[in-house]
């Protein structure tokens, strides 16, 4: 294939590998990181994306629920968590969680995305009741609930293995796990951004246990703080390694760090250039992940839309009431209407597919799409 689209000659061998369908190495990843030839990187990522998904772009109709912001972890990166009796700390009652689910369920929601802090007093039974209650009230809604960090914390509190905890939650109605809490796996970075959170190894170990229990999950990477390019590529390769083993990850979701109201408030926020590069490099390195998600809440709808031409095939969903990013200064809306998602996707020349959490299509008469052959 003609490689005229490349301006940075150092990318040529990487491009040749991508176009030949070969797996990229750590050094290839670094070359991509060190290059400013964003259009060439994006072209390659788009090539991979087109091969996997043609012209399709996925989205879902979901509702985020954060039952509590009380958290013992005190991560330096986080603007959401509060100590138990601190100002602004909240914990919803089970009834309030179920009411929030009912109130947000107006637009044919197919997924509740449920994550919260590590609450020192809420036992596993409380979470099982929460899930049971949602399952009973909303039997058709998929419950994507609790990060690896929450799962391991609940297991420790209940004196159960991670596997047994996962099995109990699954039995109660949890259908899959979101990808949060991965941050950056490198231990020296972790010590500075989330000193008391589980290690990267433990995150991967918990994801492995989840996949082995039959629960699929997503995976995230938090970038744009104190990490280096090497840390980012190392993170991606560790995710790729586990995916080779379990095949249990559905989507990779790069998350740009929002510094406001965190201990890193002196750092500048991410840029459109860095966001698009992150999406594209993720798509190129994670050759065994089906999906790369441009989470519009984090990267703004404007950049997320462009990302659909830089390797992303999924815009996440309607979200409603996002708290974690907005506490950290996100200026995006807290919700997006289905019609607006459709407009963004169609304007980018993609064919929208409303999906369920596990990427099965959701039949809705309003959605029309064609697969390009
Ligand atoms: O784990 C916390 C990150 C994550 C900040 O799986 C911050 O489909 C930026 O994981 N600036 C939670 N990021 C969000 C998350 C997620 C979002 C959307 C979809 C999915 C999915 C998962 O947010 C946390 C942490 O990595 N975070 N604080 C901050 N100040």
């Amino acid at each position: 294939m003609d490689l005229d689209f490349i301006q940075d000659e150092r990318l040529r061998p990487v491009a040749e590998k991508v176009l030949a369908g070969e797996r990229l190495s750590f050094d290839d990843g670094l070359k991509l990181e060190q290059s400013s030839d964003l259009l060439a990187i994006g072209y390659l990522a788009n090539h991979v994306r087109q091969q996997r998904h043609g012209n399709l772009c996925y989205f879902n109709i979901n509702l985020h629920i954060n039952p509590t912001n009380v958290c013992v972890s005190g991560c330096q990166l986080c603007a959401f968590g509060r100590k138990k009796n601190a100002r602004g700390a909240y914990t919803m009652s089970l009834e309030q969680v179920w009411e929030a689910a009912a109130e947000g369920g107006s637009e044919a929601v197919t997924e509740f995305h449920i994550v919260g802090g590590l609450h020192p007093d809420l036992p596993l039974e409380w979470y099982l009741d929460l899930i049971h209650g949602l399952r009973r009230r909303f039997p058709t809604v998929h419950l994507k609930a609790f990060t690896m960090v929450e799962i391991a914390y609940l297991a420790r509190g209940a004196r159960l293995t991670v596997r047994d905890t996962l099995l109990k939650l699954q039995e109660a109605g949890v259908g899959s796990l979101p990808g949060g809490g991965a941050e950056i796996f490198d231990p020296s970075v972790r010590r500075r951004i989330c000193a008391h959170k589980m290690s990267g190894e433990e995150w991967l170990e918990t994801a492995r246990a989840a996949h082995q229990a039959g629960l699929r999950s997503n995976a995230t990477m938090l970038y744009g703080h104190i990490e280096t390019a090497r840390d980012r590529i190392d993170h991606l390769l560790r995710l790729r390694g586990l995916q080779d083993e379990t095949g249990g990850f559905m989507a990779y979701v790069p998350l740009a760090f929002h510094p406001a109201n965190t201990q890193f408030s002196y750092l500048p926020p991410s840029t459109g250039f860095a966001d698009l590069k992150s999406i594209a490099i993720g798509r190129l390195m994670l050759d065994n992940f089906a999906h790369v998600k441009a989470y519009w809440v984090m990267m703004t709808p404007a950049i997320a839309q462009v990302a659909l031409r830089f390797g992303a095939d999924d815009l996440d969903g309607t979200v409603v009431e996002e708290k974690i990013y907005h506490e950290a200064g996100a200026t995006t809306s807290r919700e997006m209407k289905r019609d607006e998602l459709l407009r963004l996707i169609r304007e980018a020349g993609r064919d929208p597919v409303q999906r369920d959490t596990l990427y099965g299509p959701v039949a809705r008469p309003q959605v029309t799409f064609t697969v390009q052959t």
Side-chain angles (χ1 to χ4, degrees):
M1 191 195 258
D2 198 346
L3 295 182
D4 279 357
F5 63 90
I6 293 178
Q7 290 188 346
D8 178 354
E9 282 306 313
R10 288 168 306 177
L11 288 181
R12 192 168 281 271
V14 183
E16 280 165 358
K17 278 171 102 171
V18 171
L19 298 174
E22 286 173 36
R23 177 162 271 200
L24 299 184
S25 66
F26 185 85
D27 286 344
D28 295 329
L30 278 189
K31 283 202 186 102
L32 291 166
E33 284 280 356
Q34 284 155 3
S35 176
S36 300
D37 195 351
L38 180 62
L39 290 183
I41 298 170
Y43 180 93
L44 293 169
N46 192 52
H47 170 82
V48 174
R49 179 229 184 280
Q50 299 275 138
Q51 279 186 326
R52 275 193 175 269
H53 303 291
N55 214 34
L56 302 182
C57 173
Y58 301 89
F59 72 97
N60 71 349
I61 305 290
N62 63 354
L63 172 71
H64 281 223
I65 305 175
N66 306 122
T68 180
N69 65 353
V70 172
C71 189
V72 297
S73 203
C75 294
Q76 300 93 313
L77 66 88
C78 182
F80 170 71
R82 300 279 188 283
K83 291 288 176 244
K84 200 164 90 178
N85 296 314
R87 210 144 53 101
Y90 74 85
T91 301
M92 295 159 87
S93 66
L94 290 176
E95 288 71 22
Q96 283 172 327
V97 174
W98 299 326
E99 268 165 35
E103 275 167 24
S106 60
E107 235 194 326
V109 166
T110 65
E111 169 189 291
F112 295 140
H113 173 131
I114 308 161
V115 296
L118 307 182
H119 196 295
D121 305 330
L122 293 178
L124 176 60
E125 282 66 34
W126 188 85
Y127 289 87
L128 294 171
D129 288 347
L130 182 154
I131 294 293
H132 265 304
L134 287 175
R135 171 58 49 256
R136 201 158 51 78
R137 289 169 176 77
F138 310 94
T140 61
V141 178
H142 181 104
L143 306 179
K144 183 175 82 176
F146 313 130
T147 64
M148 305 306 161
V149 183
E150 290 169 278
I151 298 289
Y153 184 72
L154 289 176
R156 200 170 324 131
R159 295 176 192 276
L160 289 173
T161 62
V162 165
R163 182 180 170 80
D164 286 344
T165 306
L166 287 162
L167 292 176
K168 276 180 184 283
L169 287 165
Q170 194 176 23
E171 196 181 288
V174 167
S176 67
L177 308 186
E183 322 309 2
I184 282 282
F185 292 140
D186 179 84
S188 62
V189 174
R190 249 180 138 73
R191 263 196 296 282
R192 290 175 59 198
I193 64 169
C194 53
H196 306 295
K197 193 172 257 177
M198 66 179 3
S199 69
E201 285 304 323
E202 282 168 320
W203 190 95
L204 289 161
E205 194 51 52
T206 309
R208 181 182 285 112
H211 299 170
Q212 285 169 350
L215 284 162
R216 306 200 73 198
S217 80
N218 290 336
T220 56
M221 177 179 81
L222 187 71
Y223 65 92
H225 40 88
I226 56 157
E227 89 289 358
T228 63
R230 299 185 82 85
D231 297 327
R232 291 193 290 270
I233 299 300
D234 170 70
H235 187 93
L236 293 176
L237 292 195
R238 291 201 215 195
L239 290 177
R240 190 171 80 181
L242 182 58
Q243 180 74 333
D244 275 345
E245 204 183 306
T246 66
F249 289 120
M250 300 180 286
Y252 165 64
V253 196
L255 299 170
F257 180 58
H258 283 49
N261 304 320
T262 76
Q263 290 187 31
F264 296 99
S265 55
Y266 57 88
L267 288 176
S270 184
T271 60
F273 197 93
D275 293 343
L276 290 173
K277 207 167 146 183
S278 174
I279 286 278
I281 293 178
R283 181 59 285 171
L284 290 169
M285 298 308 293
L286 297 175
D287 55 7
N288 52 5
F289 273 61
H291 301 282
V292 173
K293 186 186 282 189
Y295 182 45
W296 62 264
V297 177
M298 173 277 276
M299 43 173 59
T300 74
I303 297 292
Q305 183 190 38
V306 181
L308 301 182
R309 294 266 156 198
F310 280 74
D313 61 276
D314 187 356
L315 275 190
D316 199 72
T318 44
V319 179
V320 186
E321 266 302 311
E322 201 286 331
K323 290 197 180 75
I324 297 175
Y325 279 90
H326 287 87
E327 293 283 331
T331 52
T332 48
S333 161
R334 284 172 191 244
E335 108 178 82
M336 177 143 19
K337 293 285 179 217
R338 185 171 184 277
D339 282 351
E340 180 60 3
L341 279 170
L342 291 176
R343 187 175 76 91
L344 290 175
I345 294 169
R346 290 199 176 114
E347 198 184 81
R350 300 300 191 193
D351 299 322
V353 181
Q354 187 181 337
R355 62 166 177 84
D356 62 20
T357 307
L358 304 177
Y359 287 85
V362 172
R364 288 272 302 228
Q366 298 97 309
V367 184
T368 52
F369 63 88
T370 48
V371 183
Q372 283 189 350
T373 50

